Amino acid sequence: IQVFPDDGIIFSKFNEHVQKLLDIIDSFMTHHGMSLGLAKTKTAIIQSQSEQIYLKSENRVVPTLDKEETYRYLGIQMG
């Protein structure tokens, strides 16, 4: 996990680990009266031999980047 005051990124080899980390982040944010802004939140599958994954934040599905779609994180083009 790499986190800044208003930005963060989670990398993991396993989908289950990402969901557990996201649950921990959700719990922390809820405790402090905050919530994850899904309008600016995306999941990206870098390499996968499995089907589409669906991560959830506060029981809302986190959008997934299309295979051709990219995003900018801290000024660096990724995806």
Side-chain angles (χ1 to χ4, degrees), residues 19 23 26 38 55-62:
Q19 185 60 64
D23 291 343
D26 279 341
L38 291 186
L55 298 174
K56 290 189 175 185
S57 172
E58 299 175 352
N59 292 320
R60 301 173 294 163
V61 174
V62 179

Side-chain angles (χ1 to χ4, degrees), residues 38-49:
L38 291 186
K40 293 185 171 186
T41 304
K42 297 281 187 171
T43 61
I45 301 170
I46 305 302
Q47 183 178 10
S48 175
Q49 296 182 18

Side-chain angles (χ1 to χ4, degrees), residues 9-63:
I9 190 165
I10 301 171
F11 288 104
S12 178
K13 187 173 182 177
F14 304 103
N15 301 339
E16 299 83 19
H17 293 171
V18 175
Q19 185 60 64
K20 283 183 182 182
L21 291 169
L22 192 53
D23 291 343
I24 291 167
I25 292 167
D26 279 341
S27 177
F28 175 86
M29 292 181 77
T30 299
H31 179 75
H32 293 284
M34 300 181 288
S35 65
L36 197 62
L38 291 186
K40 293 185 171 186
T41 304
K42 297 281 187 171
T43 61
I45 301 170
I46 305 302
Q47 183 178 10
S48 175
Q49 296 182 18
S50 63
E51 295 295 316
Q52 176 69 37
I53 63 166
Y54 296 97
L55 298 174
K56 290 189 175 185
S57 172
E58 299 175 352
N59 292 320
R60 301 173 294 163
V61 174
V62 179

